[in-house]
Amino acid sequence: FFGSHPVTTDVYTLQRISAVFRNVVMGLTSLASGFFGVTGLGIFLLGVRVAYGVSTGELDPTPIKKNTSDEIVLPNVWELMMGKKPNKRGR
């Protein structure tokens, strides 16, 4: 785009500003494309590794069914922060 649409002005300041803008746009574009290229490659290789793990039996894609008796009961954190002890009478 910048090669086919050059800035045609005689004002030196505008020429310098347009050159800086062109360099910033091109630099950010190349930086972003490199970043997303490496990220995409990593995600692809992770998919290959997961597929290999599933095919060899290392990873099991079937979900683990939980029993309802194995539920975790969380304590009442607000009462613990307020200094109220569990099973304490009179408060």
Coordinates of all heavy atoms in Angstrom, one line a residue:
F1 N 0.8 -1.2 0.0 CA 0.0 0.0 0.0 C 0.9 1.3 0.0 O 0.6 2.2 -0.7 CB -0.9 0.0 1.2 CG -1.8 1.2 1.3 CD1 -2.9 1.4 0.5 CD2 -1.4 2.2 2.2 CE1 -3.7 2.5 0.6 CE2 -2.2 3.4 2.3 CZ -3.3 3.5 1.5
F2 N 1.9 1.3 0.8 CA 2.7 2.4 0.9 C 3.6 2.7 -0.3 O 3.9 3.8 -0.6 CB 3.6 2.3 2.2 CG 2.9 2.4 3.5 CD1 2.8 1.3 4.3 CD2 2.2 3.6 3.9 CE1 2.1 1.3 5.5 CE2 1.5 3.6 5.0 CZ 1.5 2.5 5.9
G3 N 3.9 1.6 -1.0 CA 4.7 1.7 -2.2 C 3.9 2.3 -3.4 O 4.4 3.1 -4.2
S4 N 2.6 1.9 -3.4 CA 1.8 2.4 -4.5 C 1.1 3.8 -4.2 O 0.6 4.4 -5.1 CB 0.7 1.4 -4.9 OG -0.1 1.2 -3.8
H5 N 1.1 4.2 -3.0 CA 0.5 5.5 -2.6 C 1.5 6.3 -1.8 O 1.4 6.5 -0.6 CB -0.7 5.2 -1.7 CG -1.8 4.5 -2.4 ND1 -1.8 3.1 -2.3 CD2 -2.8 4.9 -3.1 CE1 -2.9 2.7 -3.0 NE2 -3.5 3.7 -3.5
P6 N 2.6 6.8 -2.4 CA 3.6 7.6 -1.7 C 3.0 9.0 -1.3 O 2.1 9.5 -2.0 CB 4.7 7.7 -2.7 CG 4.1 7.6 -4.0 CD 2.9 6.7 -3.8
V7 N 3.6 9.6 -0.3 CA 3.1 10.9 0.1 C 3.8 11.9 -0.8 O 5.0 11.9 -0.9 CB 3.5 11.2 1.6 CG1 3.2 12.6 2.0 CG2 2.8 10.2 2.5
T8 N 3.0 12.7 -1.5 CA 3.6 13.7 -2.4 C 3.4 15.1 -1.8 O 2.3 15.7 -2.0 CB 2.9 13.6 -3.8 OG1 1.5 13.7 -3.6 CG2 3.2 12.3 -4.4
T9 N 4.3 15.5 -1.1 CA 4.3 16.9 -0.5 C 5.7 17.4 -0.4 O 6.7 16.6 -0.4 CB 3.6 16.8 0.9 OG1 3.6 18.1 1.4 CG2 4.4 15.9 1.9
D10 N 5.8 18.7 -0.4 CA 7.1 19.3 -0.3 C 7.4 19.7 1.2 O 8.5 20.2 1.4 CB 7.1 20.6 -1.2 CG 7.1 20.2 -2.6 OD1 7.5 19.1 -3.0 OD2 6.6 21.1 -3.4
V11 N 6.5 19.5 2.1 CA 6.8 19.9 3.5 C 7.6 18.8 4.1 O 7.2 17.6 4.2 CB 5.4 20.0 4.2 CG1 5.6 20.4 5.7 CG2 4.5 21.0 3.5
Y12 N 8.8 19.2 4.6 CA 9.7 18.2 5.1 C 9.2 17.5 6.3 O 9.4 16.3 6.5 CB 11.0 18.9 5.5 CG 12.1 18.0 6.1 CD1 12.8 17.2 5.2 CD2 12.3 18.0 7.4 CE1 13.8 16.4 5.8 CE2 13.3 17.2 8.0 CZ 14.0 16.4 7.1 OH 15.0 15.5 7.6
T13 N 8.5 18.2 7.2 CA 7.9 17.6 8.4 C 6.9 16.5 8.1 O 6.9 15.4 8.7 CB 7.2 18.6 9.3 OG1 8.2 19.7 9.5 CG2 6.8 18.1 10.6
L14 N 6.0 16.7 7.1 CA 5.1 15.7 6.7 C 5.7 14.5 6.1 O 5.3 13.4 6.2 CB 4.0 16.3 5.7 CG 3.0 17.3 6.4 CD1 2.1 17.8 5.3 CD2 2.3 16.6 7.5
Q15 N 6.8 14.7 5.3 CA 7.6 13.6 4.7 C 8.1 12.7 5.8 O 8.1 11.5 5.7 CB 8.7 14.1 3.8 CG 8.2 14.8 2.6 CD 9.3 15.4 1.8 OE1 10.5 15.5 2.3 NE2 9.0 15.9 0.6
R16 N 8.7 13.4 6.9 CA 9.3 12.6 8.0 C 8.2 11.9 8.8 O 8.4 10.7 9.2 CB 10.1 13.5 8.9 CG 11.3 14.2 8.3 CD 12.3 13.1 7.9 NE 12.3 13.0 6.4 CZ 12.9 12.1 5.7 NH1 13.5 11.1 6.3 NH2 12.8 12.1 4.4
I17 N 7.1 12.5 9.0 CA 6.0 11.9 9.8 C 5.4 10.7 9.0 O 5.2 9.7 9.6 CB 4.9 13.0 10.1 CG1 5.5 13.9 11.2 CG2 3.7 12.3 10.6 CD1 4.5 15.1 11.5
S18 N 5.3 10.9 7.7 CA 4.8 9.8 6.9 C 5.8 8.6 6.9 O 5.3 7.4 6.9 CB 4.4 10.2 5.5 OG 5.6 10.6 4.8
A19 N 7.0 8.9 6.9 CA 8.0 7.8 6.9 C 8.0 7.1 8.2 O 8.1 5.8 8.3 CB 9.4 8.4 6.6
V20 N 7.9 7.8 9.3 CA 7.8 7.2 10.6 C 6.6 6.4 10.8 O 6.6 5.2 11.3 CB 7.9 8.3 11.8 CG1 7.5 7.7 13.1 CG2 9.3 8.9 11.8
F21 N 5.4 6.9 10.3 CA 4.2 6.2 10.3 C 4.3 4.9 9.5 O 3.8 3.8 10.0 CB 3.0 7.0 9.8 CG 1.7 6.4 9.8 CD1 1.0 6.1 11.0 CD2 1.1 5.9 8.6 CE1 -0.2 5.5 11.0 CE2 -0.1 5.3 8.6 CZ -0.8 5.1 9.8
R22 N 4.9 5.0 8.3 CA 5.0 3.8 7.5 C 5.9 2.7 8.2 O 5.6 1.5 8.2 CB 5.7 4.2 6.2 CG 5.9 3.0 5.2 CD 6.6 3.4 3.9 NE 7.9 3.9 4.2 CZ 8.4 5.1 3.8 NH1 7.6 5.9 3.0 NH2 9.6 5.5 4.1
N23 N 7.0 3.2 8.8 CA 7.9 2.2 9.5 C 7.2 1.6 10.7 O 7.4 0.4 11.0 CB 9.2 2.9 10.0 CG 10.0 3.2 8.8 OD1 10.0 2.5 7.7 ND2 10.9 4.2 8.9
V24 N 6.4 2.4 11.5 CA 5.7 1.9 12.6 C 4.6 0.8 12.2 O 4.5 -0.3 12.8 CB 5.0 3.0 13.4 CG1 4.0 2.5 14.4 CG2 6.1 3.8 14.1
V25 N 3.9 1.1 11.2 CA 2.9 0.2 10.7 C 3.5 -1.1 10.2 O 3.1 -2.2 10.5 CB 2.0 0.8 9.6 CG1 1.1 -0.2 8.9 CG2 1.1 1.9 10.2
M26 N 4.6 -1.0 9.4 CA 5.2 -2.2 8.9 C 5.9 -3.0 10.0 O 5.8 -4.2 10.0 CB 6.3 -1.8 7.8 CG 5.7 -1.2 6.6 SD 4.4 -2.2 5.8 CE 5.5 -3.5 5.2
G27 N 6.5 -2.3 11.0 CA 7.1 -3.0 12.1 C 6.1 -3.7 12.9 O 6.3 -4.9 13.3
L28 N 5.0 -3.1 13.3 CA 4.0 -3.7 14.1 C 3.3 -4.9 13.4 O 3.0 -5.9 14.0 CB 2.9 -2.7 14.5 CG 3.4 -1.7 15.6 CD1 2.3 -0.7 15.9 CD2 3.8 -2.4 16.9
T29 N 3.1 -4.7 12.1 CA 2.5 -5.8 11.3 C 3.5 -7.0 11.2 O 3.0 -8.2 11.4 CB 2.3 -5.3 9.8 OG1 1.4 -4.2 9.9 CG2 1.6 -6.4 9.0
S30 N 4.7 -6.8 11.0 CA 5.7 -7.9 11.0 C 5.8 -8.6 12.4 O 5.9 -9.8 12.5 CB 7.0 -7.5 10.4 OG 7.6 -6.5 11.2
L31 N 5.8 -7.7 13.4 CA 5.9 -8.3 14.8 C 4.7 -9.1 15.1 O 4.8 -10.2 15.7 CB 6.1 -7.1 15.8 CG 6.2 -7.5 17.2 CD1 7.6 -8.2 17.4 CD2 6.1 -6.3 18.1
A32 N 3.5 -8.6 14.8 CA 2.3 -9.4 15.1 C 2.2 -10.6 14.2 O 1.8 -11.7 14.8 CB 1.1 -8.5 14.8
S33 N 2.6 -10.6 13.0 CA 2.5 -11.8 12.2 C 3.5 -12.9 12.7 O 3.2 -14.1 12.7 CB 2.8 -11.5 10.7 OG 4.1 -11.0 10.5
G34 N 4.7 -12.5 13.1 CA 5.6 -13.4 13.7 C 5.1 -14.0 15.0 O 5.2 -15.2 15.2
F35 N 4.5 -13.2 15.8 CA 4.0 -13.6 17.1 C 2.8 -14.6 16.9 O 2.8 -15.7 17.5 CB 3.4 -12.4 17.9 CG 2.8 -12.8 19.2 CD1 3.5 -13.2 20.3 CD2 1.4 -12.8 19.3 CE1 2.9 -13.5 21.5 CE2 0.8 -13.1 20.5 CZ 1.5 -13.5 21.6
F36 N 1.9 -14.3 16.0 CA 0.8 -15.2 15.8 C 1.2 -16.4 15.0 O 0.6 -17.5 15.2 CB -0.4 -14.5 15.0 CG -1.1 -13.5 15.9 CD1 -1.1 -12.2 15.6 CD2 -1.7 -14.0 17.1 CE1 -1.7 -11.3 16.5 CE2 -2.4 -13.1 17.9 CZ -2.4 -11.7 17.6
G37 N 2.2 -16.3 14.2 CA 2.8 -17.5 13.5 C 3.4 -18.5 14.5 O 3.1 -19.7 14.4
V38 N 4.2 -18.0 15.4 CA 4.8 -18.9 16.4 C 3.7 -19.5 17.3 O 3.7 -20.7 17.7 CB 5.8 -18.1 17.2 CG1 6.3 -18.9 18.4 CG2 7.0 -17.8 16.3
T39 N 2.7 -18.7 17.7 CA 1.6 -19.2 18.5 C 0.8 -20.3 17.8 O 0.5 -21.3 18.4 CB 0.7 -18.0 18.9 OG1 1.4 -17.0 19.6 CG2 -0.4 -18.5 19.8
G40 N 0.5 -20.0 16.5 CA -0.2 -21.0 15.7 C 0.6 -22.3 15.6 O 0.0 -23.4 15.7
L41 N 1.9 -22.2 15.4 CA 2.7 -23.4 15.3 C 2.7 -24.2 16.6 O 2.6 -25.4 16.6 CB 4.2 -23.0 14.9 CG 5.2 -24.1 14.8 CD1 4.8 -25.0 13.6 CD2 6.6 -23.6 14.6
G42 N 2.8 -23.4 17.7 CA 2.7 -24.1 19.0 C 1.4 -24.8 19.3 O 1.4 -26.0 19.8
I43 N 0.3 -24.2 18.9 CA -1.0 -24.9 19.1 C -1.1 -26.1 18.2 O -1.6 -27.1 18.6 CB -2.1 -23.8 18.8 CG1 -2.1 -22.8 19.9 CG2 -3.5 -24.5 18.7 CD1 -3.1 -21.7 19.7
F44 N -0.6 -26.0 17.0 CA -0.6 -27.1 16.1 C 0.2 -28.3 16.6 O -0.2 -29.4 16.6 CB -0.1 -26.7 14.7 CG 0.0 -27.9 13.7 CD1 -1.1 -28.5 13.2 CD2 1.3 -28.4 13.4 CE1 -1.0 -29.5 12.3 CE2 1.4 -29.5 12.6 CZ 0.3 -30.0 12.0
L45 N 1.4 -28.0 17.1 CA 2.3 -29.0 17.7 C 1.7 -29.6 19.0 O 1.8 -30.8 19.2 CB 3.7 -28.5 18.0 CG 4.5 -28.1 16.7 CD1 5.8 -27.5 17.1 CD2 4.7 -29.3 15.8
L46 N 1.0 -28.8 19.7 CA 0.3 -29.3 20.9 C -0.8 -30.3 20.5 O -1.0 -31.3 21.1 CB -0.3 -28.2 21.7 CG -1.1 -28.6 23.0 CD1 -0.2 -29.3 24.0 CD2 -1.8 -27.4 23.6
G47 N -1.6 -30.0 19.4 CA -2.6 -30.9 18.9 C -2.0 -32.2 18.4 O -2.6 -33.3 18.6
V48 N -0.8 -32.1 17.8 CA -0.2 -33.3 17.3 C 0.2 -34.2 18.5 O 0.1 -35.4 18.5 CB 1.1 -33.0 16.4 CG1 1.9 -34.2 16.2 CG2 0.6 -32.4 15.1
R49 N 0.7 -33.5 19.6 CA 1.2 -34.3 20.8 C 0.0 -34.9 21.5 O 0.1 -36.0 21.9 CB 1.9 -33.3 21.7 CG 2.3 -33.9 23.0 CD 3.3 -35.1 22.8 NE 3.7 -35.6 24.1 CZ 3.3 -36.8 24.5 NH1 2.4 -37.5 23.8 NH2 3.7 -37.3 25.7
V50 N -1.2 -34.2 21.5 CA -2.3 -34.8 22.2 C -2.9 -35.9 21.3 O -3.3 -37.0 21.9 CB -3.4 -33.7 22.4 CG1 -4.8 -34.3 22.7 CG2 -3.0 -32.7 23.4
A51 N -2.9 -35.8 20.0 CA -3.3 -36.9 19.2 C -2.4 -38.1 19.3 O -2.9 -39.2 19.4 CB -3.4 -36.4 17.7
Y52 N -1.2 -37.9 19.4 CA -0.2 -39.0 19.7 C -0.5 -39.7 21.0 O -0.5 -40.9 21.1 CB 1.2 -38.5 19.6 CG 2.2 -39.5 20.0 CD1 2.5 -40.6 19.1 CD2 2.9 -39.5 21.2 CE1 3.5 -41.5 19.4 CE2 3.8 -40.5 21.5 CZ 4.1 -41.5 20.6 OH 5.0 -42.4 20.9
G53 N -0.7 -38.9 22.0 CA -1.0 -39.4 23.4 C -2.3 -40.2 23.4 O -2.4 -41.2 24.1
V54 N -3.3 -39.7 22.7 CA -4.6 -40.5 22.6 C -4.4 -41.8 21.8 O -4.9 -42.8 22.2 CB -5.7 -39.6 22.0 CG1 -6.9 -40.4 21.7 CG2 -6.1 -38.5 22.9
S55 N -3.7 -41.7 20.7 CA -3.5 -42.9 19.9 C -2.7 -44.0 20.7 O -2.9 -45.2 20.4 CB -2.9 -42.6 18.6 OG -1.5 -42.1 18.8
T56 N -1.7 -43.6 21.5 CA -0.9 -44.6 22.2 C -1.6 -45.0 23.5 O -1.1 -45.9 24.2 CB 0.5 -44.0 22.5 OG1 0.3 -42.8 23.3 CG2 1.3 -43.7 21.3
G57 N -2.7 -44.4 23.9 CA -3.3 -44.7 25.2 C -2.8 -44.0 26.4 O -3.3 -44.2 27.5
E58 N -1.9 -43.1 26.2 CA -1.4 -42.3 27.3 C -2.5 -41.3 27.9 O -2.6 -41.1 29.1 CB -0.2 -41.5 26.9 CG 0.4 -40.6 27.9 CD 1.5 -39.8 27.4 OE1 1.9 -39.9 26.2 OE2 2.1 -39.0 28.2
L59 N -3.3 -40.8 26.9 CA -4.4 -39.9 27.3 C -5.7 -40.6 27.0 O -5.9 -41.1 25.9 CB -4.3 -38.6 26.5 CG -3.0 -37.7 26.7 CD1 -3.0 -36.6 25.8 CD2 -2.9 -37.3 28.2
D60 N -6.6 -40.5 28.0 CA -7.9 -41.1 27.8 C -8.9 -40.0 27.6 O -9.2 -39.3 28.5 CB -8.2 -42.0 29.0 CG -9.5 -42.8 28.8 OD1 -9.9 -42.9 27.7 OD2 -10.0 -43.3 29.8
P61 N -9.6 -40.0 26.4 CA -10.5 -38.9 26.2 C -11.9 -39.1 26.8 O -12.7 -38.2 26.8 CB -10.6 -38.8 24.7 CG -10.3 -40.2 24.2 CD -9.3 -40.8 25.2
T62 N -12.1 -40.2 27.5 CA -13.4 -40.4 28.1 C -13.5 -39.7 29.4 O -12.5 -39.7 30.2 CB -13.7 -41.9 28.3 OG1 -12.7 -42.5 29.1 CG2 -13.8 -42.7 27.0
P63 N -14.6 -39.0 29.7 CA -14.7 -38.3 31.0 C -14.8 -39.2 32.2 O -15.4 -40.3 32.1 CB -15.9 -37.4 30.8 CG -16.8 -38.2 29.8 CD -15.8 -38.9 28.9
I64 N -14.3 -38.8 33.3 CA -14.4 -39.5 34.5 C -15.7 -39.2 35.2 O -16.0 -38.0 35.5 CB -13.2 -39.2 35.5 CG1 -11.9 -39.6 34.8 CG2 -13.3 -39.9 36.8 CD1 -10.7 -39.1 35.5
K65 N -16.5 -40.2 35.5 CA -17.8 -40.0 36.2 C -17.6 -39.9 37.7 O -16.9 -40.7 38.3 CB -18.8 -41.1 35.8 CG -19.1 -41.1 34.4 CD -20.1 -42.2 34.1 CE -20.4 -42.2 32.6 NZ -21.4 -43.2 32.2
K66 N -18.1 -38.8 38.3 CA -18.0 -38.6 39.7 C -19.2 -39.1 40.5 O -20.3 -39.0 40.0 CB -17.8 -37.1 40.0 CG -16.6 -36.5 39.4 CD -16.5 -35.0 39.8 CE -15.3 -34.4 39.2 NZ -15.2 -33.0 39.5
N67 N -18.9 -39.7 41.6 CA -20.0 -40.1 42.5 C -20.5 -38.9 43.2 O -19.8 -38.0 43.6 CB -19.5 -41.2 43.5 CG -19.0 -42.4 42.8 OD1 -19.5 -42.7 41.7 ND2 -18.1 -43.2 43.4
T68 N -21.8 -38.9 43.5 CA -22.4 -37.8 44.3 C -21.9 -37.8 45.7 O -21.9 -36.8 46.4 CB -23.9 -37.9 44.3 OG1 -24.3 -39.1 44.8 CG2 -24.4 -37.7 42.8
S69 N -21.4 -38.9 46.2 CA -20.9 -39.0 47.6 C -19.5 -38.4 47.7 O -19.0 -38.1 48.8 CB -20.9 -40.4 48.1 OG -20.0 -41.2 47.3
D70 N -18.8 -38.1 46.6 CA -17.5 -37.6 46.6 C -17.5 -36.1 46.6 O -16.4 -35.5 46.3 CB -16.7 -38.1 45.5 CG -16.4 -39.6 45.6 OD1 -16.5 -40.1 46.7 OD2 -16.1 -40.2 44.6
E71 N -18.6 -35.4 46.8 CA -18.6 -33.9 46.7 C -17.9 -33.3 47.8 O -17.9 -33.8 49.0 CB -20.1 -33.5 46.7 CG -20.9 -33.8 45.5 CD -22.3 -33.3 45.5 OE1 -22.5 -32.4 46.3 OE2 -23.1 -33.7 44.7
I72 N -17.2 -32.2 47.6 CA -16.4 -31.5 48.5 C -17.3 -30.5 49.2 O -18.0 -29.7 48.5 CB -15.2 -30.8 47.9 CG1 -14.3 -31.9 47.3 CG2 -14.4 -30.0 48.9 CD1 -13.2 -31.4 46.5
V73 N -17.3 -30.4 50.5 CA -18.1 -29.4 51.2 C -17.1 -28.4 51.7 O -16.2 -28.6 52.5 CB -18.8 -30.1 52.4 CG1 -19.5 -29.0 53.2 CG2 -19.7 -31.2 52.0
L74 N -17.3 -27.1 51.3 CA -16.4 -26.0 51.6 C -16.9 -25.4 52.9 O -18.1 -25.2 53.1 CB -16.4 -25.0 50.5 CG -15.9 -25.4 49.2 CD1 -16.0 -24.3 48.1 CD2 -14.4 -25.8 49.3
P75 N -16.0 -24.9 53.8 CA -16.4 -24.3 55.0 C -17.0 -22.9 54.7 O -16.7 -22.3 53.7 CB -15.1 -24.2 55.8 CG -14.1 -24.2 54.8 CD -14.6 -25.1 53.7
N76 N -17.7 -22.4 55.7 CA -18.2 -21.0 55.6 C -17.1 -20.0 55.9 O -16.7 -19.8 57.0 CB -19.4 -20.8 56.5 CG -20.1 -19.5 56.3 OD1 -19.6 -18.6 55.6 ND2 -21.2 -19.3 56.9
V77 N -16.4 -19.5 54.8 CA -15.2 -18.7 55.0 C -15.5 -17.4 55.6 O -14.7 -16.9 56.4 CB -14.6 -18.5 53.6 CG1 -13.3 -17.6 53.7 CG2 -14.2 -19.8 53.0
W78 N -16.7 -16.8 55.4 CA -17.1 -15.6 56.0 C -17.1 -15.7 57.5 O -16.6 -14.8 58.2 CB -18.4 -15.1 55.5 CG -18.8 -13.8 56.1 CD1 -19.8 -13.5 57.0 CD2 -18.3 -12.5 55.7 NE1 -19.9 -12.2 57.3 CE2 -18.9 -11.5 56.5 CE3 -17.3 -12.1 54.9 CZ2 -18.6 -10.2 56.4 CZ3 -17.0 -10.7 54.8 CH2 -17.7 -9.8 55.6
E79 N -17.7 -16.7 58.1 CA -17.7 -16.9 59.5 C -16.3 -17.1 60.1 O -15.9 -16.7 61.2 CB -18.6 -18.1 59.9 CG -20.1 -17.7 59.7 CD -21.0 -18.9 60.1 OE1 -20.5 -19.9 60.6 OE2 -22.2 -18.7 60.0
L80 N -15.4 -17.8 59.3 CA -14.0 -18.0 59.8 C -13.3 -16.7 59.8 O -12.5 -16.4 60.7 CB -13.3 -19.0 58.9 CG -13.8 -20.4 58.9 CD1 -13.1 -21.3 57.9 CD2 -13.5 -21.0 60.3
M81 N -13.5 -15.8 58.8 CA -12.9 -14.5 58.8 C -13.4 -13.6 59.9 O -12.7 -12.7 60.5 CB -13.1 -13.8 57.5 CG -12.3 -14.4 56.3 SD -12.3 -13.5 54.8 CE -14.0 -13.2 54.5
M82 N -14.7 -13.7 60.3 CA -15.2 -12.9 61.4 C -14.9 -13.4 62.8 O -15.3 -12.9 63.8 CB -16.8 -12.8 61.2 CG -17.2 -12.2 59.9 SD -16.5 -10.5 59.7 CE -17.4 -9.6 60.9
G83 N -14.2 -14.5 62.8 CA -13.8 -15.1 64.1 C -14.7 -16.0 64.7 O -14.6 -16.4 65.9
K84 N -15.8 -16.4 64.0 CA -16.7 -17.3 64.6 C -16.2 -18.7 64.3 O -15.9 -19.1 63.2 CB -18.1 -17.2 63.9 CG -18.7 -15.8 64.1 CD -20.0 -15.7 63.4 CE -20.6 -14.3 63.6 NZ -21.8 -14.1 62.8
K85 N -16.1 -19.5 65.3 CA -15.7 -20.9 65.2 C -16.8 -21.8 64.9 O -18.0 -21.6 65.3 CB -15.0 -21.3 66.5 CG -14.0 -20.4 67.0 CD -12.7 -21.0 66.9 CE -11.7 -20.0 67.5 NZ -10.4 -20.0 67.0
P86 N -16.6 -22.8 64.1 CA -17.7 -23.8 63.8 C -18.1 -24.5 65.1 O -17.3 -24.8 65.9 CB -17.1 -24.7 62.7 CG -15.6 -24.5 62.8 CD -15.4 -23.2 63.4
N87 N -19.4 -24.8 65.1 CA -19.9 -25.6 66.3 C -19.8 -24.9 67.6 O -19.8 -25.5 68.6 CB -19.3 -27.0 66.4 CG -19.5 -27.8 65.1 OD1 -20.6 -27.6 64.4 ND2 -18.6 -28.6 64.8
K88 N -19.7 -23.5 67.6 CA -19.6 -22.8 68.8 C -21.0 -22.2 69.1 O -21.6 -21.6 68.3 CB -18.6 -21.6 68.7 CG -18.3 -20.9 70.0 CD -17.2 -19.9 69.8 CE -16.9 -19.2 71.1 NZ -15.9 -18.2 70.9
R89 N -21.4 -22.4 70.4 CA -22.7 -22.0 70.8 C -22.7 -20.6 71.4 O -21.7 -20.2 71.9 CB -23.4 -23.0 71.7 CG -23.5 -24.4 71.1 CD -24.1 -25.3 72.1 NE -24.0 -26.7 71.5 CZ -24.8 -27.6 71.8 NH1 -25.8 -27.4 72.7 NH2 -24.7 -28.8 71.3
G90 N -23.8 -20.0 71.3 CA -23.9 -18.7 72.0 C -23.7 -17.5 71.1 O -23.7 -16.3 71.6
R91 N -23.3 -17.7 69.9 CA -23.1 -16.5 69.0 C -24.1 -16.5 67.9 O -24.4 -17.2 67.2 CB -21.7 -16.6 68.4 CG -20.7 -16.0 69.3 CD -19.4 -15.9 68.6 NE -18.7 -14.8 69.1 CZ -17.5 -14.4 68.7 NH1 -16.9 -15.0 67.8 NH2 -16.9 -13.4 69.3

